[in-house]
Amino acid sequence: MSNELDVFVERYGTDCAKWDEPYWETGQKIDYYGVADMDFVTAKPIMDAMYKVLERKNFGYTILNKSFTEDVSYWMEHYHNFKIEKEDILFAPRIGMAIAIMINELTEINDEILIFSPGYSPLHDFVVKNNRIAIENELIKKDNKYYIDFEKLDSQITTKTKIMLLVSPHNPVGRVWTKEELLKIGEIAKKHNLIIISDEVHSELTFKNYRHYPIASLNDDLKSRTITCNSVTKAFNVPGLMGSNIIISNENLRNKVKDAFYKMGLHNPNPFIIPVINACYRECEDWLLNTKNYLEENYNFLKNYLEENIKELKLVDSEGTYLAWIDIRDLNMTREEVEKFFSEKVKMGIYTGDGFGLGGSGFIRLNLATQRERLKESLEVLKEKIDELR
Ligand SMILES: Cc1ncc(COP(=O)(O)O)c(C=O)c1O
C-alpha cells in the first residue's frame, strides 16, 4: 500500500542543512543521514496553515496569540497526560537557544552542569562555551541497551552542581526513560537540590511498546524543579520554522527565565509558527501516528538488514526517536577512516559517534527519517563495500 512518506522530496538547492551544507563543504552529492530532520512531505494541515498566512500578504511583527498556550496545554494533557497551567508556558524560537540562555541565567561561571553521554553535542557546547563545567555521566551499555549509572551520578554531584540536563527520550541511544528511572533521577535531583532541564523534543517519537513520561508530571517536587522543553518541531518535522514550548510551573523560576529571554532579545514569534503549532497539535495526530509507524518499520528494516547482511555493524536496541545508534567497532577503523569510508566509498553521509562525548567513539548515528527505498539502496551499497573489506 502506498504511503505519502514514500514520496521523495528533493532537498538539494533549498539551503538545506542536512543535504546542502555537507554538499557545499565536500562537493559530493551523496545521500545524507546526518542532521536530525525528516526528508518527508509536510503534513497537509501544516501546509494549509502556512498558505493561510501567505494569503495575509503582510508579514509584519506578530504577537503571541493565546492559541499558543491553549494548544500546548491541550496537547500536553491529551497526548502526554501532563496537566499544566497555560501560564506555565513560555515561547522560545528554539530549544537550543532557550537552554543556552537558561544556563547563563540560572548558574554562575564555573558551576557544574550534569549531562548524559553519549549525547546531543550542542548541549555540551552550550555548557562549556558559557564557561560552565560539563560533568558527563556516561551511560552504561548492557544487553544492547543503555542505562543510567545512578550510583555514579549521585557521586558526581558536588556543591557546584546546579543543573541536570536530561534528554528524554535520549538522543542518540534511543532510550525512552521509564517512570522508575525518571523517579530515581528525581530523587537524586531532590537530594542535591538541582534544577532539572528536561529536553523532551523527541517525546512524541516513541516506538509502539514504549511510553514517554514528562518527568515534571511524575510528582509535585519534580513539577517544581523541572523546566520541560518541548516543541512541534521534531515530531511534525518543522524545525526550520522555529518554535518551542518551555514549561515551568515554579513561578519564581519561570519569572527568572522570562526575564532572561527578554534580556537576551527573544521576542515575538514569526508569523508562521503559531498557526503551524495549532495545526500540528489539533489536526496532525493521524500524520504523527503514520510517521511513527513508518520510522519504527525503518528501524526494523535496518535491524533485519544488518543482522542478515552486515554482521560487523551492530544496531543498538532502540525504543524511540529516528536516530539509529550503531556499534561499528568490528570494522576496526579510526574516526577518519570511518568518515572517509562512508562518504567516499559508500556515499552515505553519517555522523561518527566521537562527536557525542564519552562512549561515542566506535559508533555511528544514522538518521532513519527518510524514504525506505532510499535507505535500502544505501544499505545495499554499504553491504557491497563491506564485502570488499573482508
Ligand atoms: C535532544 C535535542 N534537543 C534539541 C534539538 C534541537 O532543537 P531546536 O532546534 O529547537 O534547538 C535536537 C535536534 O536534534 C535534539 O536532538
Side-chain angles (χ1 to χ4, degrees), residues 36 93-97 120 167 171 199 201-202 231 233-234 239 244:
R94 297 189 58 172
I95 288 177
M97 283 177 195
Y120 174 63
V167 176
N171 164 16
D199 178 344
V201 73
H202 295 279
S231 73
T233 58
K234 282 281 168 240
S244 62

